[in-house]
Amino acid sequence: QSVLTQPPSASGAPGQRVTISCSGSSSNIGRHAVTWCQQVPGTAPKLLIHSDNQRPSGVPDRFSGSRSGTSASLAISGLQSVDETDYYCAAWDDSLHGWVFGGGTKLTVL
Amino acid sequence: EVQLVESGGGLVQPGGSLRLSCADSGLTFSNNWMTWVRQAPGKGLEWVASIKKDGSEIYYVDSVKGRFTISRDNARNSLFLQMNSLRGEDTAVYYCVSGDHFNYWGLGTLVTVSS
């Protein structure tokens, strides 16, 4: 059972907008910024969003993040087939004195 | 550009030890937090341990405390993970990660704990 809760799956049609939620608590998302990583199965993860809503260079602006209270969201607009992969949220946890990840969300592009 | 290459993985019996290494070919190793993240077969990502740029702060996930030791050698741009008393549940791909926000990831090295 992961400390951060993500839906196991999400889906959307090409061109649509989809959001993936990440729910935590006052000891993690309630106090610290959220990071999002993207992982194509069989390959290493890569950073997608950090500090709630900051995109590293090279990440398309179709990807955006937000945080409110003890929850965060990743939004992907203009959905493309290449977006069909796994997404993980993460945050520092003050109670556990470490990073915690969500269980991951598998995105399907219909 | 940061390039991280892990090594040292392999098959080990329960109770055995392994030492993972990560070589960073970039120019900013000594300025970055370094982290080990693992992924068991078919499972999600799990944070294992992190070490501050100068080694003054170290954190572990509870399940590896007392068994794993993270360390770094800034002169050699290298990160290490000494893993002792290995268990079946430690079987995973171990990723070396650079940066405050998991900025750069290595390709990973597979650790299999089995008799």
Side-chain angles (χ1 to χ4, degrees), chain A residues 39 44-45 47 51 88 97-99, chain B residues 39 44-45 47 59 101-102 105-106:
Chain A
Q39 184 182 31
L47 176 64
S51 306
Y88 293 89
H97 302 289
W99 286 88
Chain B
Q39 186 170 35
L45 302 175
W47 170 78
Y59 302 95
H101 309 288
F102 303 133
W105 295 67

Side-chain angles (χ1 to χ4, degrees), chain B residues 3-82:
Chain B
Q3 284 192 320
L4 303 168
V5 180
E6 303 93 338
S7 61
L11 175 63
V12 61
Q13 292 189 338
S17 298
L18 275 179
R19 188 184 195 224
L20 304 184
S21 299
C22 171
D24 181 349
S25 62
L27 301 176
T28 60
F29 180 84
S30 61
N31 293 331
N32 291 329
W33 277 84
M34 295 298 296
T35 295
W36 289 99
V37 173
R38 67 185 178 184
Q39 186 170 35
K43 302 297 184 181
L45 302 175
E46 180 184 31
W47 170 78
V48 175
S50 292
I51 183 168
K52 196 175 180 179
K53 53 191 77 174
D54 60 358
S56 61
E57 293 181 41
I58 289 175
Y59 302 95
Y60 298 98
V61 67
D62 282 350
S63 60
V64 308
K65 283 179 183 174
R67 300 188 300 123
F68 290 12
T69 302
I70 188 173
S71 62
R72 63 191 297 162
D73 183 340
N74 287 345
R76 293 164 53 195
N77 282 7
S78 295
L79 176 72
F80 307 100
L81 186 67
Q82 177 66 42

Side-chain angles (χ1 to χ4, degrees), chain A residues 11-106:
Chain A
S11 63
Q16 282 190 335
R17 182 177 186 271
V18 66
T19 62
I20 297 172
S21 62
C22 176
S23 177
S25 68
S26 59
S27 63
N28 42 65
I29 295 179
R31 294 183 186 176
H32 298 283
V34 173
T35 291
W36 291 89
C37 295
Q38 179 190 54
Q39 184 182 31
V40 175
T43 70
K46 81 165 204 180
L47 176 64
L48 194 64
I49 297 281
H50 69 86
S51 306
D52 295 331
N53 54 22
Q54 300 300 302
R55 287 186 311 276
S57 60
V59 174
D61 59 7
R62 302 186 296 105
F63 294 89
S64 63
S66 64
R67 176 170 65 109
S68 178
T70 59
S71 294
S73 292
L74 172 70
I76 310 171
S77 60
L79 208 55
Q80 300 178 4
S81 57
V82 294
D83 302 330
E84 185 167 289
T85 186
D86 299 331
Y87 296 86
Y88 293 89
C89 60
W92 181 263
D93 190 295
D94 284 341
S95 297
L96 297 174
H97 302 289
W99 286 88
V100 289
F101 279 93
T105 298
K106 180 177 180 59

